[in-house]
Amino acid sequence: MTHSQTDDSARATDTYLLFAHEAYYPDSGTQEINTTVVAAASLLHPQVRQPDGARIHDRLTRGRQPGEIIPLSTLTHELDGGASWPSVGDWETVTTDLVQLVRTGECDALSLGLPEIGRALVCVGPTSHVRACDAAADQAITYGPLERAAILAEVDRFLTNLVAEQPFWPGDGLLPSRLAEGRPSALKARRISNR
């Protein structure tokens, strides 16, 4: 077996990226959307900054279980607490591009309005804790890995139900991950100028 075959066989093709972002309201009177789940393949969309999207896709799919939801914060944890992000890509631009794809209907997504603590838990690493002050009881409450796992399990239930009806569409015109690696970063500037 060649080296690339070994790498590809270690990749899960149906993984998902969960990331928090600035809240938006899709319609007046609706709940805010502050967290989104997309198929990992959406990172290969031509309107996502490349090669950054492909590099994040590589990290997201390597050594994962089929159907696994990986929070962006888990990738940050795996990348030395974020110190290695510069060698992988600009996650902020990539997630902004993904939100734009979702909002314009160019890929499927599970759009969520997580409560404050739930959102905070998916924004921290898998072993981190979040402390909240309960003013009525005059005490601090600590939430950690167990509560984070419960939030992810709930998101997984929603996603499983959606995917059972119809697989997630990652978008059209996806770049092969190897080709996306070689694409120039100027793609983003070209896309903006074509609007």
Side-chain angles (χ1 to χ4, degrees):
M1 217 181 321
T2 66
H3 181 65
S4 63
Q5 288 173 326
T6 303
D7 287 347
D8 290 342
S9 66
R11 296 185 194 289
T13 57
D14 57 349
T15 55
Y16 301 90
L17 174 65
L18 178 147
F19 59 97
H21 48 78
E22 186 174 329
Y24 67 88
Y25 295 85
D27 298 309
S28 61
T30 60
Q31 177 182 350
E32 78 172 20
I33 302 300
N34 59 25
T35 311
T36 298
V37 179
V38 296
S42 294
L43 289 159
L44 302 174
H45 196 285
Q47 292 183 21
V48 171
R49 179 186 178 114
Q50 299 298 343
D52 305 49
R55 289 182 186 144
I56 295 170
H57 176 269
D58 177 62
R59 285 295 201 159
L60 193 69
T61 58
R62 190 184 315 158
R64 308 295 181 180
Q65 297 298 314
E68 188 174 354
I69 300 169
I70 299 97
L72 183 66
S73 61
T74 297
L75 289 179
T76 299
H77 174 78
E78 293 170 357
L79 292 167
D80 302 318
S84 297
W85 267 120
S87 66
V88 174
D90 180 352
W91 64 267
E92 291 176 290
T93 299
V94 167
T95 55
T96 298
D97 290 346
L98 287 170
V99 169
Q100 183 63 29
L101 287 179
V102 170
R103 295 194 71 182
T104 57
E106 295 185 52
C107 72
D108 284 344
L110 173 57
S111 299
L112 303 164
L114 292 181
E116 189 176 343
I117 296 299
R119 186 171 187 271
L121 285 167
V122 299
C123 287
V124 298
T127 60
S128 298
H129 292 82
V130 172
R131 296 188 74 174
C133 181
D134 181 349
D138 194 31
Q139 66 180 17
I141 302 170
T142 302
Y143 301 92
L146 290 176
E147 291 83 7
R148 184 180 193 263
I151 295 289
L152 292 175
E154 187 174 353
V155 171
D156 184 56
R157 281 191 295 278
F158 283 125
L159 183 62
T160 299
N161 289 335
L162 287 174
V163 173
E165 293 175 18
Q166 181 174 339
F168 256 34
W169 170 59
D172 289 331
L174 301 182
L175 305 168
S177 59
R178 303 273 186 251
L179 289 179
E181 284 290 334
R183 286 182 66 95
S185 298
L187 174 67
K188 181 157 176 81
R190 199 167 53 245
R191 179 177 62 88
I192 290 171
S193 67
N194 286 334
R195 287 186 179 189

